Amino acid sequence: MRRDGAKKKKDKSAKAGKRASSPEDVNFIKDALGDSVVFHELDDDTKDAVARAMTELRVRAGARLIEEGEIGRELFLVADGTFVVTIDKQGSTVTMNEKKRGDVFGEISLMFESPRRVATATVSATTDARVWTLERDVFRDLTRTAAMASDAGNLVFLNSVPLLASLTVGERVRLAEALEEKTFKPGETVVTQGEVGDMFYIVRKGEAVVTKRSMSTGHLSFGDGSRVNHLFRGDFFGEKALLTRKPREATVTAVGSSALVCLCLNAPAFEDLLGPLEQLMERAKSPEIVAQRMNAIENEGRWARARFIIKSDKSKSDGGPGGGGGGGGGDGDASGDENGEGSVAIGACAAETFAGTFSNDSSMAEITLHERELLGGGASGYVRLVVADVCGNGTMKSFALKRMRKCAVVSTPDHVYCEQSVSQELNHFACVRQHASFQDADHLYFLFDHLDGCDMMDALAAVATVQPFKNPDKPTGSKIKMLKGMPEEMAMYYVAVVTLALEYLHEKQIVYRDLKPENVFLANDGTAVLGDFGFSKKLEKDALTYTFCGTPGYVAPEVILAHGYSTSVDWWGLGVMTYVLLTGQQPFSQIVKGKPEDPLTVMKRIVDRSWAVSFPVYISESAVDLMSWFLERRRARRLGNLRRKAEDVKTHAWFKDAKFDWDAMQRGQLRPRPLALSEAFATQRANRIADLEREIATATFAETEEEIEDAKETFRAF
């Protein structure tokens, strides 16, 4: 498990040139990128800006443009010449395909902001060549600016509508996100006098005229009617449809030489988001509830400084507990204890958890953690079972100790600090609770709840089976074998747990951003909690974030397209996870020849509104409806993101028809079925842990002193 600090250098032998500026270059780039997943949904002005931001790069024949294993940060578009794509397979070079004029590669580098994202192939020039390049930071800045400008423009339009004056800024922001664009050709009628409609319109581009038919002896006299108004950009009409279902008082027709483009919102969508407008107009102008401020001070006094001694029966060759703390001892650092009986680390603990560890003459707790078996691990660290005397009287409690090497996570400090701050704030039965965070010279530690089962993906694998099912549309046909996941009543409990966890997080303005079965942890009695808050982020009220993060098959469309987003992405993730639990597979991805599809293919389907998710015949209609609402690509219409938020999920027919007892779940009285993990699973898991234990024991680290010091400084405030 060698982790080299030095980065590979590619032999690009290339010379950077001008930015795209000529109409020919810009049009070529826009045409070539037209079908790319991150480009085709942009408006024309942003496409033009992105094309003009690309830089010409000349590459000599034989030079490597991308090196397999290196960090990817750029998109490449071939302008001239040819390239060959190769991979290293057991020491041999295997040619995959060829790239020529108009071909694009490296597109996924524009999405993933994690510097751990590495190239899976080498791309070399077979002729002298020329490419257009686009860096990820440049692209995301341009799309973020465009999204913010669009939302701000829509908000300006809404601010000018007198009927909406009673709405708060936050409510208008939500409406701005819900506006949809409709285009009308010159001469096309938008609304007709006398008809009953429920749509409100704001003119974004173009012109329209308003005409009224005259009244004669109490009857309408037909004809073109008289012109009563001329509408231009920023004008609006039909706003009364949000308040009442009375007939339209005039006809509006698109005019001029170009199309009329309107931002539209119908009354049902308005009420789903905010409730009846009449009620909003009548409410008292009282200050907002101070719940957020109460949340901010909720944790005061919960955390205290603590000194941790980590003891183990095993010696660790990687400088872990028992030998990892040699170093420095400055603020936040720690070193091995005087007797060599364990490593010492300094940090903070939950005062409630370790109330019995404080001495009368000290405000710092003294906590000894005894390491037990390995629970799991990954590229940046691992998790062990530990026990500690939490009351000072020999009462031992089990925890999960997550341990990360600082140099391994120094490239993503925001995720580490977010996980620390977010999980410190949580105190809910559906969320893994943090009991301490601390550090020694080389490592960072989290002390979490320990669950003695497995993650939800393991539980799914234990119950998923291939079964024969008959197609209801072909009753006389033969049965088809299909993969089936959990029974619906079993999956319902886990979806409910996550629903309550998300409800709790969202009330605290926390967006989770990485919902998947692997991040839901189960105890042997079947109870579940949401864990791993490394991608979570606390937002200001009504604020958006733009970072691409999450797992490709689970990310929401607004994340892929670099639009601003908030808690809506978690409900999309719950839709994907529900599908996975019920079917054993992902809704937007397939297994091809035993391997998952390319992430770009998957994400193209996610953002393509014309691509419909297919549901196996054995899933109930109400479950299909639930997932369809979760997987609504328009976030303003997505279940969980409407006015009633999580309440809409709880009252959905899937839960309602099953008479699911939400109150009993909140009280902790609703018990799921215990886990039924096979002996084969236990054997496989034991083998995985044994392999990981050997990997940890033989790990070496090629880290320079400069890198070690940089990591220490980065996490000094941890």
Side-chain angles (χ1 to χ4, degrees):
M1 190 165 67
R2 177 181 172 86
R3 301 184 184 119
D4 293 329
K7 299 176 182 177
K8 289 184 178 180
K9 299 293 183 180
K10 59 185 172 186
D11 176 24
K12 188 175 285 187
S13 300
K15 183 179 180 181
K18 61 180 182 179
R19 287 191 180 276
S21 57
S22 71
E24 294 79 8
D25 288 338
V26 171
N27 289 334
F28 165 72
I29 292 171
K30 289 167 69 175
D31 289 342
L33 295 180
D35 292 330
S36 67
V37 64
V38 294
F39 198 77
H40 77 284
E41 290 258 345
L42 300 178
D43 61 55
D44 289 338
D45 290 342
T46 307
K47 287 180 179 178
D48 194 75
V50 170
R52 293 181 184 279
M54 296 187 74
T55 304
E56 183 188 64
L57 194 69
R58 296 184 180 273
V59 188
R60 292 202 300 267
R64 294 187 299 274
L65 189 63
I66 295 177
E67 182 82 31
E68 184 176 355
E70 75 174 1
I71 296 170
R73 295 185 177 88
E74 298 165 293
L75 170 144
F76 298 95
L77 166 61
V78 181
D80 297 300
T82 58
F83 293 84
V84 63
V85 181
T86 61
I87 62 171
D88 182 76
K89 195 169 185 179
Q90 297 179 340
S92 300
T93 300
V94 178
T95 299
M96 302 299 292
N97 54 54
E98 191 177 69
K99 300 291 184 182
K100 56 186 184 301
R101 177 175 171 81
D103 287 338
V104 178
F105 49 94
E107 181 182 1
I108 204 165
S109 296
L110 297 185
M111 304 178 190
F112 285 91
E113 293 192 311
S114 170
R116 291 193 297 261
R117 182 72 191 178
V118 297
T120 56
T122 295
V123 180
S124 307
T126 54
T127 67
D128 285 348
R130 185 169 59 94
V131 298
W132 292 105
T133 71
L134 179 64
E135 293 185 356
R136 179 178 60 229
D137 291 345
V138 173
F139 172 77
R140 309 257 337 157
D141 283 346
L142 286 171
T143 53
R144 174 177 178 171
T145 300
M148 292 176 68
S150 176
D151 289 344
N154 291 353
L155 188 58
V156 168
F157 290 148
L158 290 177
N159 288 342
S160 66
V161 182
L163 198 64
L164 305 180
S166 62
L167 301 185
T168 67
V169 173
E171 288 167 342
R172 276 179 245 171
V173 167
R174 297 193 73 197
L175 282 187
E177 293 178 0
L179 292 172
E180 292 192 36
E181 196 171 275
K182 288 184 180 290
T183 301
F184 303 90
K185 298 176 182 178
E188 186 175 354
T189 299
V190 183
V191 300
T192 302
Q193 184 178 350
E195 292 183 349
V196 176
D198 63 359
M199 190 76 73
F200 159 57
Y201 302 85
I202 301 174
V203 178
R204 184 172 183 179
K205 293 179 183 178
E207 305 172 41
V209 295
V210 183
T211 58
K212 257 189 176 181
R213 297 195 298 268
S214 61
M215 300 291 293
S216 175
T217 64
H219 298 281
L220 291 175
S221 61
F222 294 96
D224 290 338
S226 59
R227 179 179 298 190
V228 297
N229 203 355
H230 200 133
L231 306 176
F232 299 94
R233 173 179 168 85
D235 290 331
F236 55 88
F237 56 95
E239 70 276 14
K240 291 182 180 178
L242 298 178
L243 192 60
T244 142
R245 302 296 185 270
K246 291 182 179 179
R248 301 285 192 183
E249 298 176 354
T251 296
V252 179
T253 307
V255 296
S257 58
S258 59
L260 171 70
V261 180
C262 292
L263 298 171
C264 310
L265 182 71
N266 64 30
F270 183 101
E271 292 188 7
D272 283 342
L273 276 174
L274 302 180
L277 178 57
E278 187 175 10
Q279 292 180 13
L280 294 171
M281 295 171 69
E282 292 175 354
R283 68 188 170 188
K285 295 283 185 178
S286 58
E288 291 188 342
I289 300 174
V290 296
Q292 285 189 330
R293 277 184 286 171
M294 294 300 294
N295 281 337
I297 64 173
E298 186 182 61
N299 293 316
E300 286 186 8
R302 279 190 56 209
W303 294 88
R305 295 289 288 170
R307 180 175 183 266
F308 298 84
I309 301 173
I310 308 168
K311 293 187 176 183
S312 174
D313 295 334
K314 301 176 181 179
S315 60
K316 299 295 185 296
S317 61
D318 65 343
D331 183 27
D333 282 343
S335 61
D337 70 352
E338 297 172 357
N339 300 321
E341 295 181 351
S343 64
V344 178
I346 302 298
C349 71
E352 179 184 359
T353 304
F354 296 99
T357 63
F358 293 89
S359 60
N360 294 330
D361 57 350
S362 174
S363 60
M364 180 177 285
E366 184 87 14
I367 301 167
T368 300
L369 303 174
H370 300 272
E371 283 194 315
R372 297 292 188 260
E373 66 265 23
L374 185 66
L375 299 176
S380 60
Y382 56 86
V383 181
R384 284 192 183 277
L385 173 67
V386 297
V387 295
D389 183 351
V390 297
C391 298
N393 60 4
T395 302
M396 306 301 286
K397 180 177 173 62
S398 297
F399 300 94
L401 180 65
K402 180 177 179 180
R403 176 177 179 275
M404 301 172 289
R405 193 165 183 86
K406 291 179 182 178
C407 285
V409 293
V410 70
S411 60
T412 55
D414 289 348
H415 292 166
V416 176
Y417 279 115
C418 279
E419 180 172 21
Q420 183 187 43
S421 61
V422 167
S423 58
Q424 273 188 350
E425 189 175 337
L426 306 181
N427 189 12
H428 189 273
F429 76 91
C431 298
V432 167
R433 186 179 174 190
Q434 183 200 141
H435 297 275
S437 58
F438 44 98
Q439 64 173 302
D440 60 26
D442 300 316
H443 307 95
L444 306 173
Y445 300 87
F446 285 114
L447 198 65
F448 289 122
D449 290 327
H450 170 242
L451 280 83
D452 58 0
C454 59
D455 66 46
M456 191 183 289
M457 185 56 80
D458 285 334
L460 172 62
V463 300
T465 56
V466 176
Q467 301 179 27
F469 292 95
K470 182 162 285 190
N471 188 339
D473 296 330
K474 299 178 180 178
T476 60
S478 58
K479 291 184 177 181
I480 302 173
K481 288 186 176 181
M482 306 177 72
L483 179 63
K484 185 176 187 296
M486 293 180 177
E488 289 196 20
E489 65 272 16
M490 181 181 181
M492 187 177 293
Y493 170 82
Y494 297 127
V495 174
V497 169
V498 176
T499 296
L500 294 178
L502 294 182
E503 180 181 40
Y504 173 73
L505 293 173
H506 295 172
E507 286 174 353
K508 289 179 167 289
Q509 299 294 120
I510 295 169
V511 55
Y512 182 74
R513 300 199 294 185
D514 195 25
L515 189 57
K516 55 185 177 181
E518 292 87 342
N519 287 341
V520 180
F521 304 111
L522 280 58
N524 278 326
D525 65 0
T527 54
V529 293
L530 181 64
D532 197 343
F533 294 90
F535 284 120
S536 299
K537 184 175 185 179
K538 184 150 189 172
L539 302 176
E540 296 294 329
K541 185 174 175 57
D542 300 321
L544 301 176
T545 185
Y546 294 80
T547 306
F548 184 104
C549 62
T551 304
Y554 291 81
V555 291
E558 56 266 34
V559 178
I560 296 172
L561 297 172
H563 295 170
Y565 64 87
S566 59
T567 54
S568 63
V569 301
D570 291 336
W571 299 112
W572 174 279
L574 184 54
V576 177
M577 194 184 81
T578 305
Y579 189 99
V580 172
L581 294 183
L582 295 177
T583 69
Q585 53 194 340
Q586 293 187 17
F588 300 96
S589 178
Q590 300 172 351
I591 300 298
V592 180
K593 295 181 179 179
K595 295 182 179 180
E597 289 183 294
D598 177 69
L600 266 181
T601 301
V602 176
M603 288 188 280
K604 284 179 180 179
R605 291 176 186 149
I606 289 174
V607 301
D608 184 359
R609 293 190 183 187
S610 66
W611 196 91
V613 174
S614 60
F615 297 93
V617 296
Y618 56 77
I619 298 181
S620 67
E621 289 185 9
S622 58
V624 169
D625 187 70
L626 176 83
M627 290 182 282
S628 299
W629 276 104
F630 277 141
L631 299 178
E632 165 61 57
R633 289 178 171 91
R634 299 167 298 173
R635 61 185 172 188
R637 300 290 295 154
R638 191 174 301 155
L639 188 69
N641 197 46
L642 305 176
R643 171 176 58 97
R644 298 173 70 239
K645 302 185 184 299
E647 197 61 32
D648 285 329
V649 181
K650 297 178 188 178
T651 56
H652 187 273
W654 194 51
F655 292 103
K656 193 173 182 179
D657 293 348
K659 298 181 180 179
F660 189 85
D661 194 338
W662 289 97
D663 291 334
M665 169 162 262
Q666 289 276 22
R667 295 192 302 268
Q669 296 174 345
L670 191 63
R671 312 307 299 177
R673 68 170 68 176
L675 293 182
L677 303 176
S678 66
E679 291 185 10
F681 171 79
T683 300
Q684 292 173 356
R685 182 176 182 179
N687 290 337
R688 288 201 310 266
I689 294 299
D691 290 341
L692 181 58
E693 193 76 84
R694 284 190 291 271
E695 190 178 353
I696 292 170
T698 58
T700 59
F701 304 93
E703 299 161 352
T704 66
E705 287 296 326
E706 183 180 0
E707 289 169 338
I708 292 172
E709 289 303 316
D710 177 59
K712 286 182 180 180
E713 186 59 34
T714 299
F715 295 110
R716 187 163 295 279
F718 182 84

